[in-house]
Amino acid sequence: MTAPATVEDLLRLHAPQVLGALVRRYGHFDDAEEAVQESLLAAADRWPRDGVPANPRGWLIRVASRRLMDALRSEAARSRRERAAVRLAPREVRAAPADDDTLTLLFLCCDPALPPPARVALTLRAVGGLTTAEIARAHLVPEATIAQRISRAKAKLRDHPFQPPGPQDRDSRLASVLQVLYLIFNEGYTATSGPALHRAELAREAIRLTRAVRRLLPREGAVTGLLALMLLTEARSAARTGPDGELVPLAEQDRSRWDRAAIAEGTALVEESLGEGPPGPYPLQAAIAALHDEATGPDTTDWPQILALYDVLVARSPEGDPMAELGRVVALSMVEGPGAGLTALTALEPGFPHTHRLAAVRAHLLERTGDRKAAAEAYRAAARTTLTLPERRYLQTRAARLDP
């Protein structure tokens, strides 16, 4: 993985590793998380001024450990933690590799004792480093709901042992682990807010962790498919923005800038994942991404095959996947025309109450029908609800071009 270029990148990379190390050594998940946040604030203040230490992870662990021990010994906690303060020596003296700690933390947060929504929210917070607001936007739910889920999850895990799960327990947590990794990757590939479209450090970290999970489970089709999907999607990242950071849609991208090595690896993994049992959502999405990446341009894209894959993907999503259904609408419009896409889009409106994506797709389809005024209005409606500046500028530009 490319070395992080900034202090912010370093802190995001090491935060889950440091939290994992503290929870492994001392327990007290909730207090350990607060201590890690304090160490990150200290680093953000000191490193730009004094320089990044030779061992950033070790520096953060030392500072966070001191803050945690101070908290455990504090007067307010003395009555209920006296015995814990006596046993402040680490439970394990071995220095676990960073990957071990992060991976164990990942599976700990996905404990089956927690409700699935709580597992995902806690893991995105502890391992992915996402804010509560970012997690809420990814799930299309209010921020207060996510905050409550995280708080309850941390309370339930307070006394759970920090150890790698056994094979059976690991399997029971795998679906949540993969869901979290995919959400982390998506936040990196297309940020839900802020001045940049792409948060490269998040996307890289998601790929790194998915590779680590695959080393644990090399013959698991879902893991292989997810890694393939990430590689095939991230391969286009260099062409997604212009010189001023503006968004460049897929149809207009310079495909010579796509990462051909990543595409080759991802395509090979797609074939491998499809041979590891009935394909689930990740191998199917990876197969769709491979068809896009292998095409020389929009006119040579195999849209009928993409539509067929989306049909299977939607049929195998029992609880419904709004983004898969939206992707199917786009593929349908490319096969049967924009009118068919607009008809199918109307049925999806209840599933997109808090996102700009449905309005953006409607605008694109209206533009293809030649209804410039309605398309411009839809582009403006989408621009009002997106929180990412490059997407907002792109949507506003499309609207202005159609309806000056």
Side-chain angles (χ1 to χ4, degrees):
M1 187 182 75
T2 307
T6 67
V7 168
E8 183 181 354
D9 291 345
L10 278 170
L11 296 180
R12 185 178 290 279
L13 170 66
H14 291 298
Q17 301 170 3
V18 175
L19 178 58
L22 257 68
V23 176
R24 170 171 55 83
R25 294 180 179 186
Y26 306 112
H28 304 288
F29 189 103
D30 210 359
D31 293 322
E33 187 182 35
E34 290 186 15
V36 171
Q37 291 300 317
E38 291 182 17
S39 74
L40 296 176
L41 289 173
D45 178 59
R46 292 181 55 178
W47 291 2
R49 183 178 66 246
D50 302 338
V52 177
N55 182 1
R57 177 173 173 258
W59 189 97
L60 289 167
I61 289 175
R62 285 194 300 275
V63 172
S65 295
R66 287 198 295 268
R67 302 292 172 90
L68 177 59
M69 287 189 284
D70 288 345
L72 291 173
R73 290 191 178 109
S74 68
E75 199 66 37
R78 189 185 301 276
S79 60
R80 63 186 178 89
R81 288 181 175 152
E82 272 186 345
R83 284 176 292 180
V86 173
R87 297 193 301 272
L88 286 175
R91 295 174 178 174
E92 293 183 59
V93 294
R94 73 174 181 89
D99 277 1
D100 285 359
D101 278 338
T102 307
L103 214 54
T104 303
L105 179 64
L106 182 63
F107 278 91
L108 173 69
C109 292
C110 291
D111 192 310
L114 300 175
R119 292 180 222 164
V120 174
L122 177 64
T123 315
L124 287 171
R125 185 77 185 89
V127 180
L130 302 188
T131 66
T132 306
E134 288 169 343
I135 299 168
R137 285 193 290 272
H139 285 81
L140 309 180
V141 298
E143 188 173 341
T145 301
I146 294 297
Q148 190 175 55
R149 289 176 186 174
I150 293 172
S151 178
R152 289 176 176 173
K154 288 193 290 188
K156 282 194 174 184
L157 290 182
R158 186 164 291 137
D159 298 319
H160 281 221
F162 185 85
Q163 60 189 21
Q168 184 175 356
D169 195 26
R170 186 173 60 208
D171 291 345
S172 68
R173 305 181 190 203
L174 183 60
S176 293
V177 166
L178 297 184
Q179 183 183 9
V180 166
L181 290 175
Y182 189 35
L183 287 169
I184 294 172
F185 175 80
N186 281 336
E187 179 62 30
Y189 188 71
T190 303
T192 54
S193 64
L197 181 70
H198 188 228
R199 298 169 65 178
E201 78 288 349
L202 266 185
R204 289 195 301 259
E205 180 68 359
I207 292 172
R208 184 183 73 83
L209 288 171
T210 305
R211 288 191 188 277
V213 174
R214 187 166 183 262
R215 286 194 292 272
L216 280 178
L217 302 165
R219 299 183 183 279
E220 180 63 50
V223 181
T224 305
L226 179 58
L227 179 57
L229 175 59
M230 289 180 178
L231 291 170
L232 290 164
T233 306
E234 181 65 9
R236 309 178 205 133
S237 60
R240 292 179 68 227
T241 53
D244 297 320
E246 69 274 16
L247 185 151
V248 180
L250 179 64
E252 300 172 17
Q253 288 176 16
D254 177 1
R255 301 187 180 215
S256 68
R257 299 183 63 195
W258 288 2
D259 186 340
R260 292 296 159 186
I263 292 172
E265 182 185 0
T267 302
L269 289 172
V270 169
E271 295 175 0
E272 185 178 332
S273 69
L274 294 175
E276 292 172 342
Y282 300 123
L284 288 169
Q285 290 179 75
I288 292 169
L291 288 171
H292 281 297
D293 288 7
E294 290 173 339
T296 58
D299 294 338
T300 61
T301 302
D302 190 348
W303 286 108
Q305 181 64 20
I306 289 174
L307 177 59
L309 287 169
Y310 268 121
D311 285 339
V312 177
L313 178 60
V314 170
R316 293 187 180 179
S317 301
E319 297 179 359
D321 182 345
M323 295 309 297
E325 292 175 343
L326 194 59
R328 182 189 175 277
V329 167
V330 174
L332 177 69
S333 75
M334 298 302 293
V335 174
E336 298 184 10
L342 286 167
T343 300
L345 196 64
T346 303
L348 299 186
E349 290 182 356
F352 288 84
H354 303 294
T355 178
H356 66 286
R357 302 203 180 280
L358 186 136
V361 171
R362 177 183 287 113
H364 175 65
L365 296 179
L366 287 168
E367 183 178 358
R368 286 176 54 200
T369 66
D371 191 342
R372 296 170 62 89
K373 183 176 181 180
E377 291 174 355
Y379 276 126
R380 280 192 284 267
R384 286 193 294 269
T385 52
T386 183
L387 298 177
T388 304
L389 293 180
E391 286 188 310
R392 183 181 304 161
R393 293 190 187 111
Y394 167 78
L395 294 166
Q396 289 171 338
T397 301
R398 301 286 290 200
R401 188 179 66 184
L402 291 171
D403 186 14

